[in-house]
Amino acid sequence: MTGWLTPEGDTIMSNASIAASAYANTAKLSNPLEAASETGDKSGAFGNMVQSAISEINESGQIADVQSLDLLQGKANVVDVVTAVAETELALETVVSVRDRVISAYEEIMRMPI
């Protein structure tokens, strides 16, 4: 982990490898959804919705990353960076929550007697 000082004297901690990994994993999630959405009309609607959500999270993560770099160069406000990072974190937590509920529903369906 590397630390930088802002013009105001605040310390900023950043780990670029974690951010790069998150972006790579998000990009990998998009491709299977494209294949799944081509299987049928009903599954395509859900697949498109999930793909859209993942794309939006990826974009907001990239915006937060750009703002963080701008902050390091003294071009951005700390409040804007914190807001962008918090929005990205909330969106990611929402998608993870939806994923967990889908998995839970699938497991419950698999436990049903035939």
Side-chain angles (χ1 to χ4, degrees):
M1 203 170 273
T2 308
W4 292 281
L5 286 178
T6 65
E8 294 83 23
D10 299 327
T11 303
I12 299 173
M13 304 304 277
S14 174
N15 192 335
S17 64
I18 291 175
S21 270
Y23 293 142
N25 289 338
T26 303
K28 287 178 188 175
L29 289 174
S30 309
N31 294 335
L33 293 175
E34 289 174 4
S37 67
E38 295 174 0
T39 60
D41 293 332
K42 292 182 181 181
S43 67
F46 180 74
N48 289 338
M49 181 197 66
V50 173
Q51 183 178 4
S52 173
I54 290 173
S55 296
E56 288 176 18
I57 290 172
N58 192 23
E59 289 173 13
S60 78
Q62 290 173 348
I63 290 169
D65 194 30
V66 167
Q67 286 186 348
S68 297
L69 292 173
D70 286 347
L71 178 67
L72 293 174
Q73 297 172 355
K75 299 177 185 176
N77 186 356
V78 175
V79 175
D80 294 336
V81 174
V82 170
T83 302
V85 170
E87 288 174 355
T88 302
E89 183 179 9
L90 180 62
L92 189 57
E93 287 174 358
T94 302
V95 168
V96 169
S97 176
V98 169
R99 179 208 60 185
D100 291 346
R101 296 199 91 189
V102 167
I103 290 172
S104 175
Y106 172 78
E107 289 172 344
E108 189 169 329
I109 289 170
M110 294 306 292
R111 285 192 294 262
M112 288 181 176
I114 297 178

